[in-house]
Structures are given as C-alpha cells and as structure tokens.
Amino acid sequence: MNETMLCVVGRVATRPVYRETASGPAARFRVAVTARYWDREKSAWADGHTNFFTVWANRQLATNAAASLSVGEPVIVQGRLKVRTEAREGQPGWMSADIDAVAIGHDLARGTTAFRRAPRPEQPASPDHPEPNWETTPGNSPPSGEQNTQRPPEHVAVT
C-alpha cells in the first residue's frame, strides 16, 4: 500500500548483472528514458532530458531478464519506485531512483521479439493418490469394492 507504482518506456543502458543470492536469483540493469517532444520552430522531433533508473529484478524475473536483455534494446518496465538519498565521495544529497520490477518486456512498438517459455525445474514425481470420495462422511463409507459415482455438490451463489 502507498507505494509509487510506475511504468517506464526506454532503452537498456547497461548489461544486466545477474547474481545468485541467499534469497534467490537477482539481477540489475540501468534503463535510460528520454523524453521526446515536437519542436515547432524546427518542425521536427527533438530529444529532451534523459533519466536513468536502476532496475532490480528478483527470482524468475531476474533469470529471464539476464537471459533476454541486451544494451540498446527498447524495454517497458513496471514496478515500484524507490528514491534513495545518500552521501557519496563526501558529497551529501546524492540521489538515485530505483525500480523494484514487477514486469519487464521488450517494447513491440519499436521492434519484434520471440517469446520462449523458461523451462521449469523438474519436480519430483509424487506417488499416485486415488481421487478422494467427496460424498463419503466419516463413519459412513461405501462398502469395499463399491465406488461412489455421485458428483460433488455444486456451490450456488444466492443473490
């Protein structure tokens, strides 16, 4: 709650740095967002100020971002804005704007991409469990060898 969610459209400015941490995979990269505007005097589009954001991704998003993104590619990043102020090299008041990413994708308005599902790690096979008999109540089980073929009761919403 009370978090600043934003969506930025820009270009990957640095190669994603991938790390395996104790809490799972993490990746970070910088994205450059340049405002463009129509210059009436020149009758042409012009570039405005460029903002740089550090994007942080975790877990599967980090793995996929590190494998998918290259410098210069157009991206869309959605996430929570985190603005930090700290002292660096003896200078107080140094600020950085970070985005804790929820979603990252290529900007298809500027090119094409090919989506591939990431392989999931193999899950250990679970032993076969028979379908539970939903109609059986404790102490009222059907005789052995008999199957209950009735359907479970449907839930009906009353308005």
Side-chain angles (χ1 to χ4, degrees), residues 2-68:
N2 296 333
E3 294 179 327
T4 304
M5 296 294 289
L6 75 149
C7 182
V8 297
V9 179
R11 292 193 178 269
V12 177
T14 62
R15 183 180 57 78
V17 176
Y18 179 83
R19 299 276 188 265
E20 285 287 341
T21 66
S23 60
R28 89 168 182 277
F29 64 95
R30 304 264 292 160
V31 64
V33 180
T34 302
R36 291 188 51 87
Y37 64 94
W38 181 255
D39 188 338
R40 290 183 187 181
E41 293 175 6
K42 297 178 183 176
S43 294
W45 286 99
D47 286 340
H49 179 75
T50 300
N51 292 305
F52 289 89
F53 298 93
T54 301
V55 178
W56 296 89
N58 295 301
R59 296 177 293 284
Q60 191 63 44
L61 182 59
T63 304
N64 293 343
S68 302

Side-chain angles (χ1 to χ4, degrees), residues 92-106:
W94 186 85
M95 295 182 72
S96 69
D98 297 352
I99 300 173
D100 185 12
V102 173
I104 302 169
H106 286 112

Side-chain angles (χ1 to χ4, degrees), residues 20 32-33 44 61 69-70 75 87 125 127 136-137 146 151-152:
E20 285 287 341
V33 180
L61 182 59
L69 301 178
S70 298
V75 291
T136 304
T137 57
E146 231 178 88
R151 294 176 51 147

Side-chain angles (χ1 to χ4, degrees), residues 1 5 24 27 35-36 41 44 56-57 69 113 122 128 139-141:
M1 222 190 226
M5 296 294 289
R36 291 188 51 87
E41 293 175 6
W56 296 89
L69 301 178
T113 189
E122 289 293 321
D128 291 335
N140 188 17
S141 59

